[in-house]
Amino acid sequence: MALHTRILLGLLIGAVLGIIANQMVGPENPVVAFVNEYIAGPVGQVFFNLLYMIVMPLVFASISLGVAGLGDLKKAGRVGIRALGYFVISTALAASAGLILVGIIKPGTRVSAATRDGLMDAYSGDAAQRVAQSESVTFGIDTFVNIVTRNPIASAVNNDMLGVIFFGIMFGVALTMIRGDRATVMVRWLEALNDIVIKIVEIAMRLAPYGVAGLIFGVMSRFGFDLLVPIGRYIVTVMGGLLAHGLITIPIIVWLTVRVRPWDFYRRVRASLVTAFSTSSSAATLPTNIAVAERSLGVPPRIAGFVLPLGATMCMNGTAIFEGITVIFLAQVFGVTLDVGQQAVVMVMCVLTAVGAAGVPGGSIPLLVGILAMFGVPGEAIGIVLGVDRILDMSRTTLNVVGDLGASLYVAKNEAGWTLADLPDDAGRIVPAQLDETPDWSPGEEFAEVQREELGKPS
Ligand code: ASP
């Protein structure tokens, strides 16, 4: 059986078993608790960790190779600005869709006080911790100054991806400025690093069917349907916003910018969808996303390696939708009315925080708490939605990575001459199915070519 079929099967089996466990015996049942603690949990965690451990080296290697491959600073700047434009516009569209939807459905006006108190009670511990976390999140000039990291290793250790990205960009830029024969050595080294981390992803993906099953089982057995019922309308609103964006806005953007048919686009990127859905992490999905962009969409490695790491942390369409809806929903629950002007500020904050959120599970939650406080909604209110956040997180992360892929195609078309003819024929194949094949592309050759052409030096 093809690996992608097995991954989907894992997703299904994990979910169904989880719901059955939740409905029949409940999460407190010793057997379910045991399975969660010693089987499903660890397997899921190992899968997640395997993907996560290579994120920083991958970001560094792919960004610097990407920048170096672009040839010069001017070109890198143009690509960066183009990507950023796409990120901001698509995220703003997403946030507006969410705000319109939540204004129409008004999910928060029907939450009973008893339900609210119950949820607040249940999650107050976690909420307090999140609130404390949010206090360390501040917006200001420092936010931008600190992107220029003073210690790239510390950035990597602290999951400060923007810092690592910045270091990678500087590294790549400088790489194009030194002597060709020396640059080549470094490029080869980076390429090897890149290949190695991608190989690790492929190895991790062998564990995916079990890892995905474990992760989903944990969520489903714990929360089942019960918790979903009281705030069903809120969930429906978020899901509706995500679906509308995924099924209407993104297909329109992709069609308008690169002329790829929506069905074909989604068919090609399904490995990324499954990975994002099961890991709830744009960062953990990044390796898969890069492989998918290159092998299933034909995006040149230097573009994919540059745009996707940026997108993993800066382009979060799904997160913007979720944040907008959640802020208004909680305001509704607490009887805070926001006028049009305030809603516009909510939108801007959603875009900004979606750019700033880390691509990890729940990465946007601390920032969301910050927005709530801005509008007089108690930060602890986050406890009301935290209980169902995982399923929403899984869904919004899926849209987040789709947005990144759209951006990479758009940039590839406008900056690297990508055309429809570059879409690989066998792209229906999910990346992990090619586990045992050696990659048929080599950034090394491409870079060597760029170097020969642009630097006029032998490689
Ligand atoms: N989990 C999301 C991501 O990785 C971030 C978030 O919205 O919490 O893209």
Side-chain angles (χ1 to χ4, degrees):
M1 204 190 302
L3 186 57
H4 69 267
T5 320
R6 289 197 291 139
I7 296 176
L8 280 176
L9 217 64
L11 192 76
L12 230 86
I13 292 175
V16 170
L17 287 182
I19 287 181
I20 291 176
N22 178 275
Q23 298 294 303
M24 308 270 286
V25 292
E28 311 299 344
N29 177 284
V31 178
V32 177
F34 179 86
V35 171
N36 261 328
E37 190 164 350
Y38 293 105
I39 303 169
V43 172
Q45 204 58 47
V46 164
F47 169 59
F48 183 89
N49 291 358
L50 270 175
L51 287 176
Y52 211 83
M53 79 178 170
I54 45 146
V55 166
M56 290 303 166
L58 178 63
V59 166
F60 169 67
S62 66
I63 286 266
S64 39
L65 269 180
V67 175
L70 288 169
D72 63 45
L73 189 54
K74 232 169 71 201
K75 214 157 155 200
R78 250 205 358 247
V79 170
I81 285 171
R82 207 178 263 285
L84 210 67
Y86 187 102
F87 295 167
V88 169
I89 291 173
S90 63
T91 308
L93 283 175
S96 335
L99 291 179
I100 291 171
L101 213 64
V102 72
I104 296 172
I105 300 181
K106 297 194 178 29
T109 49
R110 303 245 182 119
V111 174
S112 76
T115 304
R116 184 177 73 208
D117 294 347
L119 285 165
M120 288 279 273
D121 260 8
Y123 290 95
S124 56
D126 200 7
Q129 187 193 338
R130 300 287 189 151
V131 171
Q133 214 177 332
S134 82
E135 275 157 14
S136 61
V137 179
T138 49
F139 282 106
I141 186 75
D142 283 356
T143 315
F144 298 97
V145 171
N146 290 336
I147 292 177
V148 184
T149 175
R150 69 165 73 163
N151 183 343
I153 307 275
S155 292
V157 171
N158 296 320
N159 282 323
D160 164 22
M161 213 199 277
L162 283 177
V164 177
I165 287 178
F166 186 83
F167 179 66
I169 292 175
M170 291 306 290
F171 201 89
V173 166
L175 195 52
T176 64
M177 296 173 162
I178 62 173
R179 261 172 47 190
D181 54 339
R182 293 198 180 153
T184 309
V185 176
M186 195 65 210
V187 167
R188 294 269 177 259
W189 188 86
L190 286 170
E191 280 168 358
L193 181 61
N194 215 31
D195 288 357
I196 287 166
V197 288
I198 291 195
K199 228 356 146 212
I200 295 180
V201 183
E202 295 181 350
I203 296 168
M205 289 310 279
R206 290 174 190 260
L207 196 64
Y210 314 101
V212 166
L215 289 170
I216 299 281
F217 180 86
V219 178
M220 288 304 172
S221 64
R222 233 162 270 148
F223 301 126
F225 295 123
D226 288 359
L227 200 59
L228 303 192
V229 177
I231 43 176
R233 282 166 68 92
Y234 160 72
I235 294 166
V236 167
T237 313
V238 176
M239 291 299 194
L242 295 176
L243 276 178
H245 190 73
L247 297 180
I248 302 170
T249 316
I250 288 186
I252 292 178
I253 296 179
V254 168
W255 174 251
L256 287 181
T257 52
V258 293
R259 301 269 159 206
V260 176
R261 280 194 301 278
W263 167 246
D264 192 28
F265 176 70
Y266 277 116
R267 185 179 64 93
R268 288 170 184 274
V269 306
R270 59 184 193 263
S272 293
L273 304 183
V274 176
T275 312
F277 190 75
S278 57
T279 60
S280 286
S281 166
S282 298
T285 309
L286 179 60
T288 312
N289 232 18
I290 290 183
V292 162
E294 290 173 5
R295 297 184 199 174
S296 293
L297 295 172
V299 174
R302 63 182 188 279
I303 299 289
F306 183 65
V307 173
L308 292 173
L310 277 179
T313 168
M314 301 181 82
C315 182
M316 296 198 176
N317 293 352
T319 292
I321 294 174
F322 155 79
E323 288 184 333
I325 292 176
T326 306
V327 171
I328 306 289
F329 165 70
L330 290 175
Q332 286 168 351
V333 169
F334 284 83
V336 178
T337 14
L338 300 176
D339 59 30
V340 179
Q342 285 172 309
Q343 297 207 14
V345 179
V346 171
M347 196 197 92
V348 173
M349 287 312 294
C350 288
V351 175
L352 282 179
T353 51
V355 169
V360 297
S364 55
I365 300 293
L367 300 157
L368 187 55
V369 173
I371 310 183
L372 287 177
M374 271 179 70
F375 294 96
V377 180
E380 286 81 359
I382 196 73
I384 293 175
V385 296
L386 272 187
V388 292
D389 187 53
R390 182 68 193 205
I391 184 79
L392 299 179
D393 198 1
M394 290 157 61
S395 311
R396 67 180 181 258
T397 306
T398 308
L399 262 200
N400 290 347
V401 306
V402 171
D404 303 342
L405 288 166
S408 74
L409 270 181
Y410 165 73
V411 173
K413 182 178 174 196
N414 288 288
E415 297 292 339
W418 179 96
T419 66
L420 282 180
D422 290 315
L423 284 176
D425 291 339
D426 65 342
R429 296 173 65 189
I430 206 163
V431 175
Q434 301 171 334
L435 281 185
D436 298 319
E437 296 168 16
T438 34
D440 49 6
W441 51 268
S442 156
E445 275 158 34
E446 265 194 54
F447 183 82
E449 226 169 86
V450 170
Q451 252 195 337
R452 273 193 297 274
E453 279 168 15
E454 300 196 5
L455 304 180
K457 304 233 171 76
S459 61

